[in-house]
Amino acid sequence: MSIRKRWLTGAFVLAGLPLAISQAYAAEPEPQHKDIPAAEIKYQAGGSPLGDVEMYQDINPKAPAMSKAEFDQARKIYFQRCAGCHGVLRKGATGKPLTPEKTLPNGTDYLKVFIKYGSPAGMPNWGTSGELTDAEVDLMARYIQQTPPQPPEFGMAQMKETWNVIIPPEKRPTKKMNDYNITNIFSTTLRDTGEVALIDGDTKKIINVVKTGYAVHISRTSASGRYLFVIGRDAKINMIDLWMEKPDNVAEIRIGLEARSVDTSKYKGYEDKLAIAGAYWPPQYVIMNGDTLEPLKIMATRGMTVGDQEYHPEPRVASIVASHFKPEFVVNVKETGKTLMVDYSDINAISVKEIPVAKFLHDGGFDSTKRYFMVAANQSNQIGAIDVKEGKLAGLIDVGKIPHPGRGANFVHPKYGPVWATGHLGDDSIAMIGTDPVKHKQYAWKMVDTLKSQGGGSLFIKTHPKSKHLYVDNPLNPDPKVSQSVAVYDISNLQAGYKVLPIAEWAGLKDDGAKRVVQPEYNKAGDEVWISVWSAKDKESAIVVVDDKTLELKNVIKDPRIITPTGHFNVYNTQHDVY
């Protein structure tokens, strides 16, 4: 009697084939993921801090037996490997739902096959790749048949328990107390140590290594340029005063259990008054006092999705930026596919305007005029252009597979005028979108041109108003030659192709670490580009500085404290949205 096999589309639950075929398939050690590139699998399978959060085990009599120890072990694996695709509550995100009504009918043996061997449609082969042992595969097959545990909520009381004003505003310096050129300081994420390194862009020396949350995702500068705000994946925010003799933390808070985004008010008259952060869990964003991080208002994001209008219980907050045209924050919500225009002019009567865009919103940046926010709907393979002045969707543009622009790159195309560009995780294209609806109306909100890059797995693309070059990284590409280098284009002659800079080789690291090259970032003057060479926690890493005029090596910054460097943010460029 045949047992039907259900194929996954990026998940575990599929349509049917006989068990004999699944057994034959099991003999293949490395299935070909034809539709899902290795770079996307790496990206989507990123870990979550929720694996360390205590959750209640609800015993389901229909599910296979699990001890509490087994349940807790499986829960940690799930949040390390699976939650990014399938969601905290297993109700589906970029991957399919893994709730008991979907998984119980399949049975443990059936599910073990797919967890171990994967599927051609994109399910990673967790067992044959060596990521999970046979015992762990069995554990996970039983776990996904259990009732999904829900992490605790994180409200005002919990936030205030974590809120710490280390140095009150009245005790902070009244003028800059150091000789650093703070506009050219770089904030570099030291991912696995829970720190950021503040590096002097002029001398290339570390000013201070500041304790933060785990795996800082982004650093943002206040409108005045005095304060630096960083947020870790564990939802901890640190506020750093750059005027201090040695810049360091002056306030901190956790706004949830997992997060990615933070920014401060930029509109005239509101500079430095408020801060905002968005959480992955709970699904909410929080508005805080800009001087102390005191939480003032919590707003939920749970609601209906664009298009199919279905309720989603955990829409994660992705990127947040502050409008320069109105007292508004631009909040982009992944699963619902909506951009929220949050009016903060009256903190006691906040108004929110929803702009439907597309699933699943992620990162993005302003065009050169800062009027249009270009946001990647990465699983829809689209870019939404949000008119922050008018509060509406100006355009929705089809691009390549899984756009991941970082902030993107603005430059003047020789033919199409002002454009904004993005690279992609899922293919080797670079898309250029026209952004001038006045002088180049015929090209506005259209993909006017594409370039071929080194390959997929790109996370960041960068240029500068004073540069003639465009830099593209590929840190998630499976080919080390690609992941350990950057491609550089001449903006005046884009079709001539790219020059490859061997950044990892230039770093001269002494061991065999991964040496992933990530996030080109210009200095304030626009004549240097800083690039992280990111290896494991127990391996040597570095920062390579490239002379943008000659495209030659200028400096290598090495220090035992530079451990797993990833993103870095120049204070001036971040303050003024220069990219």
Side-chain angles (χ1 to χ4, degrees):
M1 184 174 181
S2 70
I3 300 174
R4 297 192 61 83
K5 167 183 174 182
R6 293 172 177 80
W7 287 89
L8 281 165
T9 304
F12 297 103
V13 188
L14 312 174
L17 283 177
L19 180 59
I21 295 179
S22 74
Q23 289 172 333
Y25 175 76
E28 297 181 11
E30 295 290 337
Q32 297 298 309
H33 305 302
K34 295 180 180 178
D35 299 324
I36 309 294
E40 183 185 355
I41 291 172
K42 289 182 184 179
Y43 178 74
Q44 297 289 6
S48 163
L50 290 172
D52 295 323
V53 176
E54 185 69 26
M55 299 181 199
Y56 174 71
Q57 180 182 1
D58 182 6
I59 305 298
N60 185 339
K62 296 181 180 179
M66 293 191 82
S67 68
K68 185 179 187 303
E70 288 180 319
F71 183 85
D72 287 342
Q73 181 187 356
R75 176 174 56 79
K76 289 183 178 182
I77 293 173
Y78 178 82
F79 283 105
Q80 289 169 354
R81 307 291 190 187
C82 316
C85 275
H86 301 290
V88 170
L89 303 178
R90 306 212 312 259
K91 291 183 179 293
T94 54
K96 298 295 184 180
L98 295 178
T99 45
E101 70 273 13
K102 303 284 187 181
T103 56
L104 277 170
N106 296 296
T108 301
D109 290 340
Y110 175 83
L111 293 169
K112 284 165 62 176
V113 170
F114 292 103
I115 297 172
K116 182 170 183 176
Y117 296 102
S119 85
M123 171 65 186
N125 49 317
W126 294 113
T128 57
S129 68
E131 295 285 347
L132 297 179
T133 66
D134 284 347
E136 288 171 331
V137 167
D138 175 76
L139 193 69
M140 296 310 296
R142 288 183 286 138
Y143 175 78
I144 61 172
Q145 298 174 72
Q146 312 291 321
T147 301
Q150 180 165 320
E153 298 294 319
F154 205 90
M156 186 63 74
Q158 290 78 21
M159 289 182 200
K160 288 198 171 181
E161 286 179 1
T162 71
W163 175 43
N164 181 22
V165 181
I166 300 164
I167 303 177
E170 62 272 17
K171 293 185 178 180
R172 297 173 195 164
T174 56
K175 62 180 181 180
K176 189 164 81 76
M177 301 298 291
N178 59 61
D179 294 329
Y180 300 117
N181 175 13
I182 64 174
T183 60
N184 200 36
I185 288 175
F186 286 76
S187 174
T188 297
T189 297
L190 305 180
R191 185 186 186 277
D192 293 330
T193 65
E195 297 169 322
V196 294
L198 303 180
I199 305 176
D200 187 330
D202 296 344
T203 67
K204 314 299 188 289
K205 303 295 185 183
I206 294 178
I207 297 168
N208 197 13
V209 175
V210 181
K211 289 293 182 183
T212 63
Y214 170 71
V216 162
H217 192 71
I218 194 168
S219 298
R220 297 293 287 165
T221 310
S222 67
S224 68
R226 173 175 179 173
Y227 292 110
L228 189 70
F229 295 79
V230 303
I231 188 165
R233 289 194 174 202
D234 57 0
K236 183 179 181 181
I237 303 170
N238 290 82
M239 180 180 180
I240 299 168
D241 187 352
L242 299 176
W243 279 13
M244 294 171 64
E245 186 175 352
K246 179 182 283 188
D248 209 337
N249 288 318
V250 293
E252 60 187 12
I253 191 173
R254 285 190 72 183
I255 56 91
L257 298 174
E258 184 174 3
R260 297 291 189 278
S261 53
V262 67
D263 208 344
T264 66
S265 51
K266 299 289 199 301
Y267 186 64
K268 186 177 181 180
Y270 294 89
E271 298 94 334
D272 292 20
K273 299 291 186 184
L274 298 170
I276 183 173
Y280 269 25
W281 186 270
Q284 62 192 30
Y285 54 93
V286 183
I287 297 176
M288 298 158 284
N289 185 297
D291 282 340
T292 64
L293 296 181
E294 178 186 6
L296 304 174
K297 192 79 171 180
I298 303 172
M299 305 286 285
T301 58
R302 292 178 172 102
M304 313 308 287
T305 60
V306 296
D308 49 25
Q309 298 290 296
E310 292 183 350
Y311 177 76
H312 202 289
E314 52 171 301
R316 297 172 286 179
V317 178
S319 51
I320 299 177
V321 294
S323 171
H324 298 270
F325 285 85
K326 294 179 182 179
E328 290 181 335
F329 292 120
V330 184
V331 178
N332 299 284
V333 186
K334 277 182 176 288
E335 280 72 21
T336 56
K338 296 174 182 177
T339 295
L340 309 180
M341 309 299 290
V342 181
D343 186 334
Y344 56 74
S345 58
D346 184 349
I347 197 68
N348 294 313
I350 289 177
S351 62
V352 180
K353 181 177 183 179
E354 290 187 354
I355 301 175
V357 186
K359 301 175 190 175
F360 290 76
L361 298 185
H362 191 59
D363 58 352
F366 284 112
D367 79 310
S368 58
T369 69
K370 301 180 179 61
R371 173 171 174 172
Y372 300 96
F373 183 69
M374 312 293 288
V375 60
N378 55 19
Q379 293 299 322
S380 297
N381 303 326
Q382 294 177 313
I383 297 290
I386 311 298
D387 184 341
V388 300
K389 182 178 181 180
E390 298 295 331
K392 64 181 183 181
L393 183 67
L396 188 60
I397 306 99
D398 292 329
V399 290
K401 188 173 183 181
I402 316 176
H404 195 286
R407 292 300 188 192
N410 289 297
F411 57 92
V412 178
H413 192 283
K415 178 178 179 181
Y416 302 108
V419 298
W420 178 91
T422 179
H424 297 84
L425 272 162
D427 66 30
D428 64 359
S429 69
I430 297 168
M432 287 165 276
I433 296 168
T435 59
D436 180 8
V438 178
K439 295 182 179 179
H440 298 82
K441 186 176 180 179
Q442 69 273 36
Y443 303 130
W445 321 131
K446 297 176 182 177
M447 187 173 71
V448 295
D449 201 359
T450 60
L451 297 172
K452 183 178 176 61
S453 74
Q454 291 195 84
S458 176
L459 292 181
F460 298 99
I461 184 170
K462 191 66 65 104
T463 188
H464 188 281
K466 295 180 180 179
S467 173
K468 67 174 186 177
H469 293 127
L470 178 70
Y471 292 74
V472 183
D473 70 11
N474 300 88
L476 297 185
N477 193 284
D479 184 348
K481 291 182 180 179
V482 177
S483 66
Q484 295 181 7
S485 62
V486 295
V488 185
Y489 298 81
D490 181 341
I491 290 172
S492 65
N493 188 17
L494 291 166
Q495 298 306 324
Y498 53 80
K499 179 177 181 178
V500 177
L501 303 187
I503 301 300
E505 179 184 324
W506 284 352
L509 301 180
K510 60 189 177 186
D511 56 39
D512 58 352
K515 303 175 186 175
R516 287 167 289 191
V517 166
V518 63
Q519 193 160 347
E521 174 78 352
Y522 281 82
N523 64 346
K524 178 185 177 182
D527 58 9
E528 291 179 355
V529 179
W530 292 38
I531 306 169
S532 289
V533 183
W534 167 28
S535 284
K537 187 175 181 178
D538 60 347
K539 303 290 184 180
E540 186 181 29
S541 292
I543 296 168
V544 169
V545 182
V546 176
D547 185 323
D548 184 59
K549 303 298 182 186
T550 64
L551 299 184
E552 295 177 351
L553 175 64
K554 187 171 184 178
N555 292 95
V556 177
I557 302 173
K558 292 182 182 179
D559 189 290
R561 294 170 290 177
I562 297 179
I563 299 170
T564 58
T566 52
H568 37 241
F569 304 85
N570 176 268
V571 165
Y572 181 87
N573 293 339
T574 303
Q575 176 188 358
H576 296 281
D577 292 302
V578 176
Y579 31 81

